[in-house]
Amino acid sequence: MGNIHLTGGTSLEGSVGIQGSKNAVLPMMAAALLHKGVTTLTNCPLIRDVFCMVDILRSLGGMVTWEEHTMHIDCSHLRRGKIPEEYAVRMRSSITCMGSLLARIGMCEMPYPGGCMIGQRPIDVHLDLFRHMGTQIVEREGVLYSVCGRCHGFTYKFPRRSVGATENGVLAAVLCDGVTRLENCATEPEVGWMCRCINSMGGKIEGIGSKILQITGVPGLHDTTFAVPPDRIVAGTYLCAGAISRGKVVLEPVIMEEMQAILAVYKKMGGQYEGKGGKLFTNSAHVHLAVPFLETAVYPGLPTDLQSPLLSVLSVASGVSILRETVFENRFLAAEQLQKMGACIRIYDREAKVTGKETLTGCEVVAQELRGGAALVLAGLVASGETVIRNAEYIERGYEDICRDLGNLGARIHKE
Ligand code: UD1
């Protein structure tokens, strides 16, 4: 496992390019399984989770080729519907392949999916959805064997809003006979981007962005080229990097509408910003305020993926902040590591009470998951002396090159 070394104390300044969205490209790659032909995705982020999904597509018989950030996925001939254990346990979003495989070849065999250690992350909603549409699923020794016949349009109301389960519902319905109506869908922008990508392949999905999606089945799809949108979570992380270092950072490209919740928090902390022409100009010279109460929520609320980066920023704000996590039950893993750096964070069940300190102290810390790992990098930007972040691989699951990006903004950072 690699380490990131970081010497704190510089204010970040300059422009940073925002990579394509991880959470958008992964379900688009799963959607490529639906099509007996070529799907081309441009602006793909070169990150570990995407490489893992490439391995999954290849193991299923898909052919994947790269030209820089462009990925060509040819799923003309799928060999089988079995997702190897080594990939499924590495990444939770392997579960989105299940909807596509059931739709395309009527079967799927996969172990229970893995992913970041941020909570129980059950898949009961996914399985309930599949059973509702007539799939037979049996579980033996941790492996799920699923079979379904030709699927007819169905109506399903999600018992709780889940990004992955909504994506699976859409993927399973695209090639059905007739019309499918999905209610209480997740409205995270990445669900919408996946739907737009499928529509550009010839799918018929209506209601994009709302809680009700209507999918009119089509017999087949056609080749497409689709651009992956910028990653709002990476943009939010780099906004926090500017904030914690009291810097002046320009982020581009960003979709302003998708950034509203984190920008509202940034403003409360004293940040100033302007969005113009797809760029976000930020000035964190006056960021210093604690935020009395914040909570993560489903979109358009504050993304849970930015909770850990915010913990870092609030650790050096003046005053007390309460940050409540409502989406995942075990997402405060970064807190203990931040405490090692001198942060004053107390966890009470789902709430973190953060008492801001003047500064943090560099030391050796361990990344345990993706966003928590990024939060440690942010803390290192302001810590006195050197911070060493072990297990940097977790960060590479979602950030193409955090050392390059922050280094270009003036951070003294490198990977061992
Ligand atoms: C996706 C994102 C992740 C983000 C999360 C919430 C991807 C690849 N990942 O994850 O970055 O943090 O949305 O915005 O897009 N749940 C159940 N049963 C289920 C499914 C989910 O109880 O069958 C629970 C989860 O444990 C969690 C909540 O529902 O507490 C939300 O999970 P979900 O929206 O499904 O997240 P993911 O799709 O896994």
Side-chain angles (χ1 to χ4, degrees):
M1 286 261 180
N3 298 338
I4 289 177
H5 290 252
L6 185 51
T7 305
T10 29
S11 283
L12 300 189
E13 203 148 343
S15 262
V16 59
I18 303 300
Q19 68 189 54
S21 162
K22 168 176 92 70
N23 290 354
V25 73
L26 292 173
M28 288 176 191
M29 292 171 77
L33 288 167
L34 295 169
H35 172 45
K36 285 185 192 161
V38 181
T39 305
T40 298
L41 301 174
T42 63
N43 195 37
C44 291
L46 306 179
I47 53 176
R48 278 177 185 258
D49 275 12
V50 166
F51 300 144
C52 180
M53 196 63 148
V54 168
D55 287 341
I56 291 175
L57 296 182
R58 285 185 176 144
S59 74
L60 295 167
M63 299 212 301
V64 182
T65 51
W66 285 95
E67 287 170 83
E68 297 182 356
H69 286 77
T70 297
M71 190 188 333
H72 305 281
I73 308 168
D74 183 348
C75 291
S76 303
H77 308 285
L78 292 188
R79 258 198 316 271
R80 53 189 192 158
K82 183 175 171 182
I83 299 174
E85 180 173 2
E86 55 183 308
Y87 307 133
V89 296
R90 245 164 54 197
M91 191 176 64
R92 180 176 162 86
S93 39
S94 53
I95 185 84
T96 40
C97 294
M98 193 163 164
S100 295
L101 288 173
L102 289 171
R104 172 89 184 264
I105 57 179
M107 60 85 59
C108 174
E109 185 185 319
M110 69 175 293
Y112 261 92
C116 278
M117 301 291 293
I118 57 173
Q120 284 190 8
R121 308 191 84 172
I123 54 166
D124 54 320
V125 180
H126 298 254
L127 300 185
D128 186 61
L129 159 87
F130 291 135
R131 288 199 168 102
H132 179 88
M133 57 179 254
T135 305
Q136 289 179 335
I137 306 173
V138 288
E139 192 217 318
R140 264 200 313 268
E141 290 165 11
V143 179
L144 296 161
Y145 300 85
S146 326
V147 195
C148 72
R150 174 119 195 104
C151 182
H152 298 279
F154 57 97
T155 296
Y156 181 75
K157 182 170 181 179
F158 290 100
R160 62 181 298 179
R161 281 163 76 187
S162 155
V163 173
T166 301
E167 290 163 351
N168 251 331
V170 172
L171 291 165
V174 171
L175 302 176
C176 276
D177 294 327
V179 176
T180 297
R181 185 180 156 90
L182 299 174
E183 298 173 5
N184 198 29
C185 294
T187 56
E188 268 62 11
E190 293 78 13
V191 176
W193 286 111
M194 179 200 74
C195 292
R196 284 183 204 104
C197 176
I198 295 171
N199 281 352
S200 87
M201 298 160 81
K204 285 198 182 139
I205 306 165
E206 292 165 279
I208 294 175
S210 78
K211 281 192 223 169
I212 298 178
L213 291 171
Q214 182 163 301
I215 303 112
T216 306
V218 293
L221 299 167
H222 55 68
D223 290 2
T224 196
T225 297
F226 195 85
V228 178
D231 193 311
R232 66 189 172 107
I233 305 300
V234 171
T237 307
Y238 292 166
L239 176 71
C240 289
I244 200 166
S245 74
R246 314 295 190 244
K248 246 182 165 176
V249 176
V250 182
L251 311 165
E252 65 168 322
V254 292
I255 299 170
M256 286 299 287
E257 194 190 326
E258 297 181 1
M259 300 287 294
Q260 290 310 311
I262 184 66
L263 284 171
V265 177
Y266 180 66
K267 204 170 161 187
K268 282 185 189 159
M269 296 190 297
Q272 295 170 324
Y273 68 88
E274 190 185 7
K276 218 165 47 188
K279 295 184 185 184
L280 176 59
F281 296 83
T282 70
N283 181 351
S284 301
H286 302 291
V287 168
H288 71 103
L289 299 169
V291 185
F293 182 76
L294 279 175
E295 65 180 347
T296 62
V298 297
Y299 191 80
L302 181 64
T304 169
D305 290 18
L306 290 176
Q307 180 254 100
S308 301
L310 276 173
L311 271 189
S312 298
V313 185
L314 295 171
S315 292
V316 289
S318 43
V320 175
S321 309
I322 303 281
L323 181 41
R324 186 173 163 77
E325 172 59 58
T326 72
V327 182
F328 289 106
E329 71 276 10
N330 186 24
R331 214 172 193 176
F332 287 124
L333 285 174
E336 198 184 324
Q337 303 297 312
L338 291 171
Q339 283 161 358
K340 279 202 217 166
M341 300 176 73
C344 181
I345 304 173
R346 298 273 171 274
I347 306 296
Y348 303 95
D349 189 23
R350 287 194 166 214
E351 278 182 12
K353 180 181 176 195
V354 190
T355 307
K357 303 263 294 263
E358 280 276 302
T359 186
L360 300 174
T361 313
C363 64
E364 186 171 305
V365 285
V366 186
Q368 285 150 299
E369 41 95 15
L370 165 59
R371 306 302 172 189
L376 300 177
V377 174
L378 301 196
L381 290 173
V382 279
S384 58
E386 194 188 42
T387 301
V388 178
I389 298 140
R390 288 178 44 209
N391 294 358
E393 280 72 10
Y394 280 114
I395 300 169
E396 293 165 357
R397 291 187 63 162
Y399 298 84
E400 201 172 280
D401 195 340
I402 202 167
C403 295
R404 171 200 65 199
D405 290 346
L406 298 181
N408 285 342
L409 295 172
R412 286 172 288 173
I413 183 170
H414 69 272
K415 187 165 173 221
E416 211 174 71

